[in-house]
Amino acid sequence: KPGEQKHPKEPSSSQCMHLAVVACGDRLEETLIMLKSAVLFSNRRLCFHIFAEDSLKPEFEKKLKEWPSSYTKKFESNIYPITFSVGNAQEWKKLFKPCAAQRLFLPVILKDVDSLLYVDTDVLFLRPIDDIWHLLREFNSTQLAAMAPEHEIPKIGWYSRFARHPYYGTTGVNSGVMLMNLTRIRSTQFKNSLIPGGLTWEEMLYPLYQKYKNYITWGDQDLLNIIFYFNPECLYVFPCQWNYRPDHCMYGSNCRGAEEEGVSILHGNRGVYHDDKQPTFKALYEVIRDFPFEDNLFQSLYYPLQSKFLDTVHTLCGRIPQVFLKQIEKTMKKVYENRVIVYLGANHRY
């Protein structure tokens, strides 16, 4: 019918899966480890969109070129400067963490990209990005972004206890892993608390920030919560195993999806990769960081991980190692099987 939105199609396999990240300050290594985890396990080609401070650009270029060609051929990368298309750039930069607000402008900057997965620098993929990319197919005709809840239990959730602004649902959503249909975002008029009619994404951002800036704590994530509070039909909510954070195990295990399926995407917020508060998270980060690219995944990644986890069983998150290992084990088996099949197939040709 005229004017009716078509059901979203996942981009064809010849196109790549777009992954965006924003890196400032001391986040170079963390970002590279995140990109490494994406390349290690994914099946289809990846397009990286790295938004970085000028001083980090040559470092990113140099480090990515050092990866072996068997991996560099699996992705292409674009590095962009930090830019804010509306409002005061200095003000946006100061919002929460340096340049985190950049993610709000992705639909405006990446005009030729249809769909995109945005992640924070402190994210690790424990299974192929292909699997979260498939969720684009699940969007109904009004949904244009997907995030996981900020918390599973309202009585210990941050938004439900402390927020002084509108937020999505009963616990708010966490924007550290965000799947976006940019085409839809660009063409939608959003309901808001500013004017009775709708506003485009770009028109809405700065006035919304001006209205709520004295009430927000988590910067751009709070703005996204405000937007989806007024437009709940636009959001697809995916389960906690796609954005698994220390909060899901440090108060006792409260992410059922991870218990059943294992962690799909690990989000080490609160700086847990770099201190000793959550050794299970740190162990995963260090094992992926230290994995030599061309080595055997089981020998040089899975087994070291198992032995490191033995040292963390006394901690709340360490009590449930299978939650962290389940997906990674499954993924490795698939990678191994695929390699064996490809190898056998290649030999049969001669």
Side-chain angles (χ1 to χ4, degrees):
K1 287 175 203 165
E4 188 178 66
Q5 266 189 313
K6 289 185 186 141
H7 205 67
K9 278 209 304 258
E10 191 195 334
S12 73
S13 55
S14 61
Q15 295 172 305
C16 57
M17 301 178 289
H18 294 271
L19 178 68
V21 64
V22 180
C24 284
D26 58 358
R27 298 299 180 109
L28 176 77
E29 182 194 75
E30 209 172 71
T31 308
L32 287 164
I33 308 308
M34 179 277 289
L35 296 172
K36 182 180 184 180
S37 73
V39 171
L40 278 180
F41 300 131
S42 291
N43 303 314
R44 265 174 42 197
R45 189 169 172 74
L46 292 158
C47 284
F48 296 150
H49 301 276
I50 303 164
F51 290 81
E53 287 174 308
D54 296 343
S55 58
L56 294 179
K57 186 181 177 188
E59 284 296 304
F60 272 115
E61 287 170 343
K62 177 172 167 273
K63 297 281 185 196
L64 290 170
K65 277 190 189 124
E66 286 169 4
W67 291 3
S69 62
S70 55
Y71 286 93
T72 55
K73 69 181 184 206
K74 289 175 72 177
F75 69 88
E76 60 186 70
S77 59
N78 297 292
I79 303 171
Y80 310 82
I82 304 292
T83 49
F84 304 99
S85 62
V86 289
N88 180 320
Q90 288 315 111
E91 228 172 338
W92 284 121
K93 270 189 183 161
K94 285 195 233 118
L95 181 63
F96 190 45
K97 288 185 179 156
C99 44
Q102 180 71 71
R103 85 181 89 177
L104 297 171
F105 295 89
L106 297 175
V108 183
I109 297 166
L110 300 173
K111 285 187 165 59
D112 298 328
V113 175
D114 174 63
S115 295
L116 175 86
L117 177 65
Y118 164 85
V119 294
D120 284 348
T121 58
D122 52 9
V123 152
L124 291 170
F125 293 95
L126 305 187
R127 69 191 278 184
I129 288 187
D130 310 58
D131 298 341
I132 190 167
W133 195 254
H134 290 326
L135 294 180
L136 287 164
R137 291 177 184 169
E138 310 265 316
F139 285 16
N140 68 22
S141 62
T142 59
Q143 289 164 337
L144 44 75
M147 288 184 266
E150 171 65 21
H151 227 285
E152 299 303 299
I153 304 162
K155 68 171 187 274
I156 55 172
W158 195 90
Y159 284 106
S160 38
R161 290 185 297 158
F162 306 117
R164 296 186 295 144
H165 59 77
Y167 57 89
Y168 178 87
T170 52
T171 58
V173 280
N174 182 284
S175 60
V177 179
M178 183 158 74
L179 192 60
M180 293 184 272
N181 182 323
L182 300 184
T183 304
R184 284 192 176 181
I185 291 173
R186 286 186 285 262
S187 62
T188 297
Q189 292 280 322
F190 291 88
K191 298 189 289 294
N192 59 82
S193 58
L194 305 162
I195 62 163
L199 288 169
T200 66
W201 186 265
E202 193 174 11
E203 287 167 343
M204 177 176 56
L205 288 179
Y206 195 61
L208 206 60
Y209 165 63
Q210 287 299 330
K211 178 169 180 177
Y212 291 104
K213 66 180 178 183
N214 296 327
Y215 305 99
I216 58 182
T217 305
W218 307 111
D220 47 308
Q221 177 171 294
D222 290 348
L223 282 179
L224 289 163
N225 267 285
I226 294 164
I227 290 168
F228 291 110
Y229 167 83
F230 290 107
N231 301 271
E233 73 287 353
C234 292
L235 191 67
Y236 175 99
V237 179
F238 50 66
C240 47
Q241 65 265 30
W242 293 103
N243 185 350
Y244 190 90
R245 304 180 299 285
D247 303 56
H248 289 120
C249 50
M250 62 196 269
Y251 307 113
S253 182
N254 62 47
C255 174
R256 190 172 295 151
E259 287 172 36
E260 289 164 6
E261 286 186 30
V263 174
S264 296
I265 294 179
L266 193 76
H267 184 180
N269 63 345
R270 304 173 180 268
V272 293
Y273 297 147
H274 313 293
D275 62 27
D276 296 315
K277 289 184 181 143
Q278 299 298 340
T280 321
F281 280 74
K282 190 179 184 183
L284 263 158
Y285 178 79
E286 289 178 346
V287 165
I288 292 173
R289 179 193 67 195
D290 299 340
F291 172 69
F293 271 106
E294 303 285 24
D295 270 24
N296 176 296
L297 278 167
F298 272 106
Q299 273 173 352
S300 304
L301 201 146
Y302 189 69
Y303 297 137
L305 205 48
Q306 279 185 314
S307 59
K308 268 185 187 261
F309 276 180
L310 289 175
D311 301 331
T312 74
V313 287
H314 62 286
T315 67
L316 273 168
C317 292
R319 279 181 320 146
I320 43 172
Q322 70 285 2
V323 163
F324 297 90
L325 290 168
K326 201 176 274 189
Q327 274 301 336
I328 212 165
E329 186 177 352
K330 210 165 147 186
T331 301
M332 280 188 208
K333 281 188 172 141
K334 267 193 197 146
V335 168
Y336 178 72
E337 281 161 14
N338 289 346
R339 286 204 182 138
V340 168
I341 290 160
V342 168
Y343 177 75
L344 288 172
N347 282 350
H348 279 303
R349 280 205 295 265
Y350 302 107

